[in-house]
Amino acid sequence: MESINSKLNANSARFWWRLPVINRRAWTWEDTNSHIHCGQWWQHAVIYQIFPQSFCDASGDGIGDIKGIIEKLDYIAALGVEAIWLNPIYPSTHEDAGYDVTNLTDVDPRFGYLGDFKRLLELAHLRGLKVILDQVWNHTSSAHPWFQESKKNRSNNKADWYVWADAKPDGSPPNNWISAFTGENAWIWEEEREQFYLANFMPSQPDLNWHHSEMIRTLLNQSQFWLELGVDGFRIDAVNFFVHDRKLRDNPQRGENDAEPDGIAADNPLAKQKFCNSFCRPETLEKLTYVRQLMERYPGTVALGEVTLCEDSIELSGQYVKDNDRLHLAYNSALLEDEPLSAPMLHDIMKKTLKHFPEGGQCWMVGNHDYQRLLSRWTGHKSNEEPYSKEFYRMVIGLLVTLPGALCLYQGDELGLPLGKVPDDIDREDMQDPYGKCMYPKDLGRDGSRTPMPWQSCRSFLGFTSADSSWLPIPDSHKTLAVDIQNEDPDSLLNTWRRMLIWRRAQPAIISGDVVLHDPHPDVFAYTRRYAEQTLLCVFNVSDKATEYPTNFPQEYQQAHTHTLILNQDQFQYQNQHLLLQPYGAVYISHTEV
């Protein structure tokens, strides 16, 4: 794409602008109360992810629940997000935080009752919030009635609803496929049926057989139950794992010259293989048509897919949203890597994203329940330290809210919570995460990003629960970051998120604009968003040093309807055709033609 400089030179007579009084850190911007509605809501939504057992406990048993979420709906709405995504709330054995489902059409008693969910849905909608539910379609719990029947013999009604295979002549598993959780062979022997079943995750999570049309039809019919209740969409777990190679061919070994896969640590045994037969199959794209057909029966709903463990997550996730017969949105590992954040890195990610998402459909993800928190991102694998300042994370907020597409914001990341440490904050014997238990100490697991929300700094368990204990401990470092403290601090990360999200909703160029990516720069990441009459220039200094960014503005700014917003800057400075940026400074210049 051509650089912003050439654009400016070509259009300088009409394009740029008289600047108003420069805003300092106090954040003022005109017309922030207007809310632009362009296209489908999900194309530009900020989705607040809720991990129910760690959000708010209203029942007093130490585990978060649906009534607790209801209590905090006003807090969520005040953030300025468009939707909430709930991690699984279904009946489960709870070996894997609800991703081992035993019934897809009910609510687990630990979270409440179906009536509680209906009330949550009603109250969320009254506040203008959409509700997205997690759907676990790759596997069930081994305690699920379907599997209990399937394992009995090879001729029952559900005999082929899961992935079964005979042992090799020597009694060993059918092939070399490795579990993403255990690092061991993904095939589990079932004595009753005298066959192996595939479990790409926990041994108690048998994979469903997406080559079986009746299974797919029944699964999606069950999910339709929630659409009938009025939910606004689904986040679909592990969508690139759905389909396996019917010939059960081995995965090739990863060579020394082969690129590392996305979304997984290099020392995980799974990374030794190329992901091409056990999952990430091209046939998955055909199966997504069934999902899209279901969602099309409920206009305005969205299907958001998780595409993280693969060879190239940006390229693959782009395929999953291509055309109009696949998913609406997909998130990937683009911003989930552990390498330090830099302007060249962001430029490469944006360039690649624009290439593979030409029709949109990208959903950005920085932290969630499966990865590190936002504050612990880009620190290097296994590191729990915070090498960056508040200014850095304020700049990151300003960046995230202007990226094209949707964005998922994980609970607690708006507070800047650091990752809980294992075994300091969480004793080894108190670990809950099965993946962490399997991989410890190579990988500390996911408990550190799943600790309960700190609501009130002076209450026991920081206001999360009134019980004598909570299902996971709360790190001491979270006390000074509690919601009540940050509410009172206008410069807090919480209030930064609020202001930026409210501002974002008033910018047509962000909600529906295209993107012109600027030339690469060693310290600065910049692009322009455009829609209708608005042009919005976004410039970010991704370094800890002051820098100058060449931008050929006209010498004088005479036109009206131009406004600036600055982050981490004492003032707006433009000298000798250069923007002067302080460390981690960000500048936004908006022009509206009238």
Side-chain angles (χ1 to χ4, degrees):
M1 295 185 180
E2 61 183 321
S3 72
I4 187 67
N5 291 339
S6 60
K7 280 286 189 182
L8 283 171
N9 290 334
N11 299 285
S12 60
R14 64 177 180 82
F15 191 76
W16 297 97
W17 335 301
R18 177 182 59 82
L19 294 175
V21 176
I22 298 302
N23 303 319
R24 296 181 181 270
R25 297 177 188 261
W27 303 87
T28 58
W29 190 291
E30 296 182 8
D31 301 324
T32 54
N33 290 325
S34 62
H35 188 177
I36 310 302
H37 293 277
C38 302
Q40 294 290 339
W41 67 269
W42 44 263
Q43 292 176 306
H44 54 78
V46 178
I47 303 166
Y48 186 72
Q49 181 192 351
I50 296 175
F51 195 69
Q53 53 260 59
S54 289
F55 194 61
C56 181
D57 171 26
S59 64
D61 62 358
I63 301 172
D65 45 46
I66 293 174
K67 287 185 176 179
I69 299 172
I70 291 174
E71 287 185 8
K72 303 300 183 182
L73 278 177
D74 286 338
Y75 167 83
I76 299 168
L79 283 174
V81 300
E82 282 79 25
I84 58 175
W85 148 28
L86 305 184
N87 285 101
I89 57 172
Y90 318 108
S92 164
T93 57
H94 294 287
E95 295 178 68
D96 184 27
Y99 285 93
D100 41 349
V101 178
T102 58
N103 181 357
L104 200 58
T105 59
D106 204 353
V107 172
D108 192 286
R110 70 165 53 190
F111 299 129
Y113 302 94
L114 188 58
D116 296 329
F117 176 76
K118 291 178 180 178
R119 182 62 174 161
L120 169 62
L121 190 63
E122 176 187 10
L123 294 176
H125 285 166
L126 285 173
R127 288 164 173 79
L129 293 170
K130 307 289 187 180
V131 178
I132 297 172
L133 284 186
D134 224 311
Q135 292 290 288
V136 188
W137 292 343
N138 177 74
H139 52 265
T140 70
S141 166
S142 57
H144 195 291
W146 292 357
F147 186 77
Q148 290 298 307
E149 181 174 353
S150 184
K151 73 175 186 175
K152 289 180 179 178
N153 53 59
R154 307 184 190 190
S155 59
N156 65 78
N157 290 334
K158 295 181 176 58
D160 297 324
W161 282 31
Y162 294 83
V163 183
W164 295 95
D166 291 327
K168 290 181 178 179
D170 63 359
S172 62
N175 56 38
N176 70 346
W177 297 352
I178 294 176
S179 161
F181 264 31
T182 66
E184 300 175 351
N185 194 279
W187 294 94
I188 310 300
W189 178 254
E190 174 51 57
E191 190 67 39
E192 186 173 2
R193 179 158 161 157
E194 296 186 336
Q195 274 188 313
F196 283 96
Y197 66 84
L198 178 64
N200 267 308
F201 296 98
M202 291 178 60
S204 59
Q205 293 172 316
D207 277 40
L208 289 163
N209 181 12
W210 274 76
H211 291 296
H212 196 286
S213 57
E214 180 62 24
M215 187 285 298
I216 297 174
R217 185 161 44 249
T218 304
L219 182 70
L220 297 184
N221 282 343
Q222 288 201 348
S223 296
Q224 187 175 347
F225 168 82
W226 300 101
L227 295 171
E228 290 288 341
L229 286 183
V231 302
D232 302 288
F234 297 140
R235 177 268 184 182
I236 305 171
D237 184 59
V239 65
N240 52 310
F241 279 76
F242 285 179
V243 180
H244 67 284
D245 176 33
R246 299 185 92 159
K247 296 182 180 180
L248 303 183
R249 289 170 287 194
D250 281 353
N251 281 331
Q253 294 298 307
R254 193 176 301 278
E256 292 183 2
N257 297 325
D258 291 323
E260 293 184 1
D262 286 349
I264 188 170
D267 56 357
N268 188 311
L270 180 64
K272 296 178 180 179
Q273 297 182 350
K274 292 184 179 180
F275 309 151
C276 59
N277 289 324
S278 53
F279 57 95
C280 290
R281 294 291 301 170
E283 301 96 315
T284 304
L285 298 174
E286 303 168 8
K287 307 301 181 182
L288 298 181
T289 301
Y290 300 119
V291 179
R292 186 60 174 258
Q293 289 173 346
L294 169 64
M295 309 308 289
E296 292 296 319
R297 297 204 293 270
Y298 298 86
T301 60
V302 63
L304 164 62
E306 175 197 26
V307 187
T308 53
L309 298 181
C310 47
E311 299 299 323
D312 186 326
S313 64
I314 296 178
E315 179 180 2
L316 185 63
S317 58
Q319 294 178 29
Y320 280 39
V321 299
K322 188 178 180 181
D323 301 324
N324 294 315
D325 58 352
R326 300 175 187 175
L327 304 180
H328 300 92
L329 294 173
Y331 71 82
N332 51 51
S333 305
L335 292 177
L336 291 172
E337 301 299 330
D338 292 313
E339 61 180 290
L341 194 67
S342 68
M345 168 191 175
L346 289 170
H347 185 275
D348 290 346
I349 288 173
M350 178 70 85
K351 183 177 181 180
K352 193 172 183 179
T353 297
L354 294 175
K355 174 183 176 181
H356 292 290
F357 287 82
E359 302 168 355
Q362 166 76 337
C363 183
W364 300 93
M365 177 77 68
V366 179
N368 72 5
H369 65 293
D370 280 334
Y371 289 85
Q372 297 184 45
R373 286 196 165 277
L374 170 58
L375 198 76
S376 301
R377 180 60 52 208
W378 308 300
T379 61
H381 191 57
K382 302 177 184 175
S383 173
N384 290 310
E385 300 302 319
E386 181 191 343
Y388 298 114
S389 64
K390 181 186 288 187
E391 285 74 21
F392 171 84
Y393 289 103
R394 191 185 288 115
M395 180 273 296
V396 168
I397 295 170
L399 167 66
L400 292 175
V401 302
T402 61
L403 293 174
L407 167 69
C408 283
L409 173 61
Y410 181 48
Q411 67 176 52
D413 279 353
E414 76 274 21
L415 303 176
L417 299 183
L419 197 69
K421 299 180 181 180
V422 179
D424 293 344
D425 296 319
I426 303 168
D427 291 337
R428 176 73 174 89
E429 57 270 20
D430 291 334
M431 290 179 68
Q432 301 291 325
D433 177 25
Y435 172 75
K437 292 177 180 179
C438 286
M439 295 298 175
Y440 187 87
K442 288 184 178 180
D443 194 308
L444 303 182
R446 302 167 296 178
D447 285 339
S449 59
R450 297 177 174 185
T451 56
M453 276 281 287
W455 295 102
Q456 297 171 288
S457 57
C458 294
R459 293 276 304 274
S460 61
F461 297 102
L462 302 187
F464 163 71
T465 181
S466 60
D468 294 332
S469 62
S470 73
W471 80 282
L472 269 179
I474 304 178
D476 292 339
S477 59
H478 290 189
K479 182 175 181 178
T480 58
L481 299 171
V483 171
D484 63 339
I485 291 180
Q486 296 207 38
N487 272 336
E488 302 302 317
D489 178 7
D491 198 39
S492 68
L493 289 182
L494 172 59
N495 282 321
T496 300
W497 272 106
R498 286 169 172 161
R499 285 188 292 262
M500 289 303 294
L501 287 174
I502 291 172
W503 167 78
R504 178 185 190 272
R505 295 173 70 159
Q507 311 309 313
I510 295 178
I511 299 303
S512 295
D514 60 4
V515 180
V516 176
L517 183 60
H518 295 204
D519 288 341
H521 186 281
D523 296 317
V524 176
F525 178 53
Y527 49 86
T528 298
R529 304 293 310 273
R530 291 195 179 105
Y531 181 78
E533 293 82 15
Q534 187 189 25
T535 300
L536 180 67
L537 172 65
C538 306
V539 181
F540 306 93
N541 181 5
V542 193
S543 74
D544 60 357
K545 59 186 179 182
T547 190
E548 298 181 0
Y549 182 66
T551 304
N552 294 335
F553 296 153
Q555 292 296 315
E556 296 180 358
Y557 306 102
Q558 298 296 331
Q559 299 184 32
H561 310 292
T562 299
H563 307 283
T564 61
L565 178 68
I566 56 176
L567 273 169
N568 301 327
Q569 296 272 127
D570 293 325
Q571 60 182 339
F572 180 89
Q573 291 182 292
Y574 179 68
Q575 297 176 4
N576 301 322
Q577 297 185 332
H578 285 72
L579 275 175
L580 306 184
L581 299 169
Q582 294 182 16
Y584 303 127
V587 172
Y588 310 84
I589 305 177
S590 172
H591 173 63
T592 303
E593 294 185 7
V594 294

